[in-house]
Amino acid sequence: MPAEQILSNARLVLADQVIHGSLLIRDGLIADISAGASSLPQAQDLDGALLLPGLVELHTDNLEKHMSPRPGVDWPSASAVLTHDAQIVAAGITTVFDALSIGDINPKGKRMQQLGVMLEAIAEAEAAGQTRAEHRLHLRCEVSHPQCLELFRELVEQPLVQLVSVMDHAPGQRQFARMEKYREYYMGKYHLSPAEMD
């Protein structure tokens, strides 16, 4: 990257307005924002494209899908993190809170097995400078899971953990006030027999 770069003829999304203008980047930092197109020959013409700050994603289960892309398939964790990172950056996200669930409703699910593996893979990729987005962790604590508190205590001090949410998917309340709806939803979602659901 050059020491100085000028992005011109852009719609710059600022904190309180969108302006047609130019942006000067010096040593990787924004040095100046000005209205109008730059007349300097080294300016890169963005042809009126939007130029906005990087987006922050507070919750994504995207990494889980890369770890297990299909039933019975476990993808290498380092490759899964880098593929997830590439998709995040391609969407304009520069900071992502990767959601890791403590607890799983699906008896066939791999969330609990993959929890430590995902955390380690993200931490290693971040430490090695392999990610392009800034990765942080969002612990999703399923309070009805028997290991929730124990695992939370183990993980909460990890440096990348910066967001925690408490979830309660117990039947008979909130989204599943009626038990039959709870059964219907999870039997359909996870292809469970009535006995497995019991």
Side-chain angles (χ1 to χ4, degrees):
M1 180 179 210
E4 192 168 283
Q5 186 177 14
I6 302 168
L7 303 175
S8 179
N9 189 23
R11 289 182 291 153
L12 303 171
V13 178
L14 307 179
D16 56 353
Q17 63 181 324
V18 177
I19 66 167
H20 176 263
S22 300
L23 180 79
L24 171 63
I25 301 169
R26 187 175 294 127
D27 297 324
L29 300 173
I30 296 173
D32 187 47
I33 295 173
S34 57
S38 172
S39 59
L40 295 171
Q42 70 269 30
Q44 182 179 350
D45 186 350
L46 296 187
D47 198 28
L50 282 170
L51 185 60
L52 60 150
L55 303 173
V56 176
E57 170 65 73
L58 291 176
H59 173 127
T60 176
D61 299 324
N62 195 37
L63 180 56
E64 287 181 349
K65 292 172 180 63
H66 288 292
M67 294 283 292
S68 297
R70 290 182 301 283
V73 175
D74 291 328
W75 203 252
S77 57
S79 295
V81 168
L82 296 180
T83 302
H84 162 59
D85 179 71
Q87 286 184 335
I88 291 294
V89 170
I93 296 166
T94 56
T95 302
V96 58
F97 284 77
D98 295 313
L100 301 181
S101 293
I102 299 177
D104 196 349
I105 296 168
N106 180 5
K108 300 174 184 176
K110 293 188 169 189
R111 280 184 164 167
M112 296 302 288
Q113 296 168 359
Q114 292 179 335
L115 183 61
V117 175
M118 287 191 293
L119 191 146
E120 187 177 315
I122 294 166
E124 286 177 1
E126 276 281 300
Q130 296 173 325
T131 57
R132 290 172 281 177
E134 188 176 346
H135 288 256
R136 298 295 173 254
L137 297 178
H138 171 188
L139 291 182
R140 300 174 62 222
C141 303
E142 181 61 59
V143 296
S144 59
H145 193 276
Q147 292 178 286
C148 181
L149 186 57
E150 173 190 340
L151 287 171
F152 172 77
R153 286 181 174 146
E154 285 178 26
L155 300 175
V156 73
E157 297 301 325
Q158 294 285 337
L160 293 180
V161 173
Q162 295 189 4
L163 182 63
V164 174
S165 61
V166 176
M167 303 182 306
D168 185 355
H169 291 97
Q173 57 191 349
R174 291 182 252 327
Q175 74 189 81
F176 295 113
R178 294 177 27 224
M179 184 63 80
E180 61 271 16
K181 287 295 180 188
Y182 179 84
R183 291 179 63 84
E184 177 185 318
Y185 178 80
Y186 284 112
M187 285 173 67
K189 182 174 182 174
Y190 297 126
H191 310 289
L192 302 174
S193 69
E196 287 173 318
M197 189 65 206
D198 289 343

